[in-house]
Amino acid sequence: MPKNSKSFHAIGTDSPRKGGKAKVTGKAVYAPDVSLPGMWHGKVLRSPHPNATVVDIDTSEAEAMGAICITPDDVPDVKYNERTISVPDAIYRDNRVLTDRPRQVGEGIAAVAAETEEKAERALKAIDVTYEEHEPVIDPEFAVSDDAPAIHESIVRDGEVEPIENNIAVERDISVGDVEQGFAESDHVFEHSFETGRTYHAQLENKTTVCRPEPDGGITVWPTTQTVHNVRQLLGEIFDINLSKVNVKRLELGGSFGSSIQTNSVTPITVALAMAADKPVKIVSSREEDMYDHCRYPSKLDVKIGANDDGTLNAVEMDVLADVGSHNIQAFPYLGVVAGFTASLYDFEHLEFRGRAVYTNKAPACAMQGFGNPQATFAVECMIDAIAEELGIDQLELIRKNYVGEGDTFWGQGPTIKSVVKSCGVEELLDQGAEAIGWDERTPPGEKDGRYRRGIGMARGFHTSGTGGPTPGEAIDYSSALVKINEDGSVDVVSALQDHGGGTRSAGARIVAEALDVPIENVELSPTDSRNTAYDVATHATRGVYAGGAAMKKAAESVREQLLENASRLLEVPPDAISLEADTDEGIGRVFVEGVPDKELTVGEVAKRAELNNWGTMAAVESNRQVACPPAYAAQFVEVEVDMETGEIDILRTAIGNDSGTIVNPKLAAGQQHGGFYRGAGYALVEDTQYDENGAIDGNGLLTDYRMLTTMDLPSNDETETFFVETEEPSGPFGAKGLGEACINPTAAAVANAVYNATGVRFTDIPMTPEKIIGDLRAEYTDRVTGKPMVPAEDDD
Amino acid sequence: MSSEKITHGDDGGNERTIELTINDETHQVRVKPNELLLNVIRDKLDLTGPKYACGTGECRACSILVDGEPELSCLRLAVTADGSEITTVEGLSDGRDLHEIQQSYLSEGGSQCGFCTPGFVIMTKDLLDNNPDPTEEEIRDHLKGNICRCTGYNNIVEAVKVAADRSPENGESE
Ligand code: FES
Ligand code: FES
């Protein structure tokens, strides 16, 4: 039974995160901090060519130096896909531990291990590789042309070899109703094309793995990962080791943002090296290697929306071309969610989606915070602003008229995972955000002049809470947890659930404290690995608290029954007559019979007496799948100032609102809002990786070549307002929904709409770097002296 | 002072012994001329607080104080630090008692994944040692070279403000 929020003692209070002390003292252990006795160091020989075939590898000199070397011939001949969250039919296998057919600069060809990093480095340089180079395919439009060379001849899906044609990794068409009829019935049809950047995750921890071969033929692995269980499964499959002998340790994770949803490429390489050397081996990626390892799916989106004069949105048509790079990690689900999130933004009666994902000779794209949602929401929410202006309807009005809300169907993860919305705070998000930014005082672009122009914009969005649903879909989604009460009344939570820094595990501890009615200080999270926990799919899709926390709650509720049962034997009353209460002042859980003063114990006393009576440990392990995927709604409002002469965009103010159901830890939740907004603003304004014609990332492969916003580029704390509209989600643990990814999805459109409001120019290609936008801005900029445009407009957007 | 003795390691590098006082403990360490201070601190002295995130001076995750001044340990050769006094994030707390800067990063949510935190804590120490009551502008300016990918910086700025308020003398230094 859901508790009334007013009676929460652990949820909704601010106390420091579990494990936080280790972080602020430098004692927290991340994969790069793991060091084992007798450990060797590994290095990977990576292709300097974007598209080539390895003709010969000579490792004799490196071996003569005492290094252990492995080449494509020394690794299992298994074709795999590094992300194993989908059902087999939706998994496209095109990768291998090491390859003799590199398809991007930076792909692993061979690897060495030696006692020191320096020795390994020198051995690596002594390896001689002969390549036959092929023409690189950099541009996705060229990739699908008949002139483009084939990047992959074929892939494997569900045991079958499938040919690849025109470098198209996946095509996915999804339709609802009849879009042509929808357009025919509309008073207006609006069309725009959008383009989104190749964002790099830039998580601060470079991908790392340590592997120790065990005497029994097993392996112990310490990787950078969002999911110890999926790493375990994949390594078991590649190296043909029973899962019971593959142990993957869960460590602190130095940020991820989706980059470690798949088993990282260094992980199987490290395992292969460690097995060949028969010693523990560690590989730490350099920043340059990491930049060639992953990025967000860059996409071109052509959107058509049919609307009536009264603002009713009838139909949407979307054509997407996504550039997946060298390997297809999850393009099939990616296209599915771009369609699904579009369908869930507004109540379109007709939808037609055509998606193509194409291979190119670049770093492989993978999930990045929002997965498909930042792309879809950027396009659709910019269109909504444009449509509102054309129709002469306030943007908030247009949203209110059409959004998918309570009682509507929400597509949580593409067309196969849907559920009905049961909690929705959209109206309040719009009201509070509008109030905070001063929406009513907003003036149209036509009224701005001068060099520095200010504008206000907003966008709405959401993210799914997990990928569960009433029926199984194409993604696997469940979590597990063990909860046990120790003999002094303290509680251990044993779960593989990963925390990227958002406070997911801390939130889980609060949920357990609440479910057991013990103070949060008495609940701790055990160190875990894949051998001592039951399955948890991954921390992704904003499912950590909603789904991971729900599994912990379920286990805690079973333990609560046992606690009541044992207390009933001790107090000699039926279990139903017993109450539990957290005494946060005393730091104990009380077990008592209301109105009967001598019938009272502490949780610790019950646990101790249960032990002395040999009744066993109060403990339960549960797996749980959530049967819904509720939307966690978001709205963001921003004010910008644009320098019409330089193209510089300054964000002056923002109001960031979220409906995430019950808020478990307010301060950490606000941190999610800040972080999402920061990365979203970077996505809108500066972040991108560009490739030259030789398949190399522009610049020197350094972090400074990848522009990110700094402390100086963001509004001050006083100008950053965050707020929550607390709804109660019936399917969530104590009413909670997801949060993290919802905080980035509307940002780019909110910023772009504010830039439009400031300048009257609508930019549809992000990031909106000064170099990209200056031409159009200057064309718009009326010279104050002559009253004429400084530069005549070249093309109309 | 350290006794200097040149030996030839099996890599042919000229190893020598240097003396480093880290977090008030003095160590004699054998290092090669090309060894980075960050690696010596992490691998030979087992202090893994300072982090490698770029190795090229672009993120400040490897920040330490050398003789009271902030330095990027990923860019400094260990031999050049011979005889120095070094403070890492580990050196700020007193046993289990957190320094007020660490306390504030914890209470204000200034540390999410925590990978950048050792560098931020050190740079905050540097700021408050020199400017006990900084404005938000000064805080943001001082930390502009530190990358945090998680927080959006708001709660970091808040943590610095709270640390300044919590400081016993509002600017207590050792
Ligand atoms: S690791 Fe030293 S500045 Fe980045
Ligand atoms: S807390 Fe993760 S990088 Fe700063």
Side-chain angles (χ1 to χ4, degrees), chain B residues 65 68 70 92 99-105 120-136 138-140 142-143 156-174:
Chain B
L65 296 176
L92 261 60
H99 187 278
E100 64 262 12
I101 295 174
Q102 296 168 317
Q103 186 60 48
S104 320
Y105 271 81
F120 271 97
V121 167
I122 286 293
M123 288 304 290
T124 303
K125 173 94 168 70
D126 174 55
L127 172 65
L128 298 184
D129 282 351
N130 296 299
N131 179 359
D133 196 15
T135 62
E136 173 159 344
E138 288 168 333
I139 295 169
R140 286 183 175 266
H142 195 79
L143 299 177
I156 288 177
V157 170
E158 212 48 43
V160 180
K161 290 184 187 170
V162 170
D165 290 346
R166 275 192 192 150
S167 160
E169 318 294 342
N170 191 10
E172 154 255 36
S173 61
E174 310 118 299

Side-chain angles (χ1 to χ4, degrees), chain A residues 714-729:
Chain A
L714 292 153
S716 70
N717 284 10
D718 282 349
E719 303 295 358
T720 307
E721 182 166 337
T722 56
F723 61 95
F724 284 103
V725 171
E726 286 205 50
T727 58
E728 186 169 327
E729 169 55 39

Side-chain angles (χ1 to χ4, degrees), chain A residues 204 254-255 257 500, chain B residues 110-117 120 147-151 156:
Chain A
L204 223 49
F257 317 108
H500 308 182
Chain B
S111 175
Q112 286 189 18
C113 82
F115 208 79
C116 68
T117 307
F120 271 97
I147 294 178
C148 172
R149 196 56 169 156
C150 298
T151 60
I156 288 177

Side-chain angles (χ1 to χ4, degrees), chain A residues 54-292:
Chain A
V54 174
V55 181
D56 186 52
I57 307 182
D58 183 357
T59 56
S60 52
E61 204 182 313
E63 269 154 348
M65 293 163 76
I68 295 291
C69 302
I70 55 169
T71 69
D73 289 341
D74 304 316
V75 298
D77 190 18
V78 175
K79 220 174 212 186
Y80 62 82
N81 179 310
E82 49 273 63
R83 173 189 168 279
T84 53
I85 283 170
S86 298
V87 296
D89 192 37
I91 292 185
Y92 292 64
R93 295 163 170 256
D94 66 14
N95 216 338
R96 210 173 175 276
V97 180
L98 293 169
T99 185
D100 56 10
R101 175 69 181 82
R103 296 174 170 96
Q104 64 162 114
V105 169
E107 188 147 18
I109 309 291
V112 302
E115 292 116 281
T116 65
E117 260 191 281
E118 199 185 344
K119 256 192 162 176
E121 197 94 58
R122 278 191 283 125
L124 197 74
K125 291 207 176 95
I127 297 179
D128 204 15
V129 185
T130 314
Y131 297 92
E132 182 195 327
E133 288 183 54
H134 312 302
E135 182 190 358
V137 180
I138 306 301
D139 176 23
E141 312 265 11
F142 171 62
V144 294
S145 73
D146 289 335
D147 298 336
I151 296 173
H152 291 268
E153 305 288 340
S154 64
I155 56 111
V156 175
R157 185 156 69 107
D158 207 7
E160 303 289 328
V161 175
E162 291 184 359
I164 295 291
E165 272 151 34
N166 289 97
N167 292 317
I168 296 173
V170 179
E171 256 175 311
R172 198 163 184 183
D173 296 349
I174 293 162
S175 77
V176 177
D178 178 348
V179 81
E180 286 314 323
Q181 182 199 332
F183 289 142
E185 286 167 7
S186 299
D187 297 329
H188 309 270
V189 177
F190 300 91
E191 267 188 89
H192 269 294
S193 294
F194 299 87
E195 208 169 330
T196 64
R198 200 175 192 91
T199 322
Y200 167 54
H201 301 71
Q203 79 296 347
L204 223 49
E205 174 186 332
N206 289 304
K207 292 177 173 181
T208 297
T209 302
V210 179
C211 172
R212 182 177 65 204
E214 301 297 349
D216 65 358
I219 49 173
T220 306
V221 185
W222 291 259
T224 303
T225 189
Q226 295 175 214
T227 159
V228 294
H229 282 280
N230 285 4
V231 171
R232 178 195 217 196
Q233 288 184 7
L234 187 64
L235 293 177
E237 182 193 328
I238 296 173
F239 295 98
D240 195 20
I241 307 174
N242 281 354
L243 294 187
S244 57
K245 290 186 177 178
V246 180
N247 198 14
V248 181
K249 300 277 188 179
R250 187 185 50 76
L251 300 157
E252 292 295 349
L253 182 57
S256 188
F257 317 108
S259 61
S260 287
I261 194 173
Q262 64 271 16
T263 298
N264 290 316
S265 58
V266 291
T267 303
I269 298 175
T270 312
V271 173
L273 265 181
M275 288 173 71
D278 199 22
K279 287 184 188 351
V281 171
K282 176 179 189 175
I283 297 183
V284 183
S285 302
S286 69
R287 181 54 67 180
E288 186 178 10
E289 289 178 298
D290 200 83
M291 289 181 79
Y292 279 103

